[in-house]
Amino acid sequence: MSLLRQKKEAEVEKLAEKFSKSKAAVFINYKGLKVAEAEKLRRALRAEKGEYKVAKKTLLDVAVKKAGLPVSGIANLEGQIGIVFDYEGETGALKIVDSTIKGGVNALRSV
C-alpha cells in the first residue's frame, strides 16, 4: 500500500472519529476566507469546545459513511468545503459560524 493511501486512510479514520464524537457538524464553503479570519474562527470554536477542519470532499464523504451518519453527496457540493464540529452543544458551532458571517466575513457560507 502506498504512503499516500495510508495517509488518506488515517485522515478518514480521524474524521470519522470526529463525526462520531461531535454532537453537531456544519459544512461551510470557505472560498475566499482569509487566513486571519480562519484563525479567528478557529479560536472562537476552541473556546466553545468546537473545531474547524478542512479536508477533501471525497475524504469527508467516506468519513461520514464510516461514522454511520445518514448524509450523502458531500463530494458533489460546490466550492471548497470545510467542516465545523461542535463537541459540547448542538447549536454553539452554528451560532459562531452565523456570528462570523454576520460580522462581515462574506467569504464564509454555510452549506
Side-chain angles (χ1 to χ4, degrees):
M1 186 179 324
S2 73
L3 185 59
L4 182 60
R5 182 166 177 93
Q6 289 174 343
K7 286 183 180 181
K8 286 180 180 180
E9 287 179 357
E11 182 67 19
V12 166
E13 287 294 326
K14 288 178 191 175
L15 287 167
E17 182 181 325
K18 289 176 190 295
F19 277 112
S20 295
K21 76 177 192 175
S22 69
K23 298 205 179 194
V26 180
F27 292 99
I28 57 173
N29 183 331
Y30 66 90
K31 184 177 181 180
L33 187 67
K34 295 181 174 112
V35 173
E37 294 167 339
E39 286 303 314
K40 185 177 177 182
L41 176 63
R42 281 190 170 99
R43 279 193 299 275
L45 289 166
R46 272 192 294 258
E48 295 294 321
K49 305 290 189 250
E51 181 180 10
Y52 169 59
K53 180 80 174 148
V54 173
K56 289 186 170 192
K57 291 184 275 190
T58 52
L59 296 181
L60 285 171
D61 209 17
V62 172
V64 165
K65 289 175 187 168
K66 189 169 188 116
L69 299 174
V71 179
S72 64
I74 296 168
N76 298 326
L77 294 174
E78 284 189 38
Q80 300 167 325
I81 303 299
I83 183 85
V84 173
F85 295 102
D86 191 341
Y87 299 118
E88 291 242 324
E90 295 178 0
T91 60
L94 184 57
K95 287 179 183 178
I96 291 170
V97 171
D98 187 51
S99 67
T100 303
I101 293 169
K102 287 180 180 174
V105 180
N106 295 326
L108 195 63
R109 294 177 299 285
S110 59
V111 179

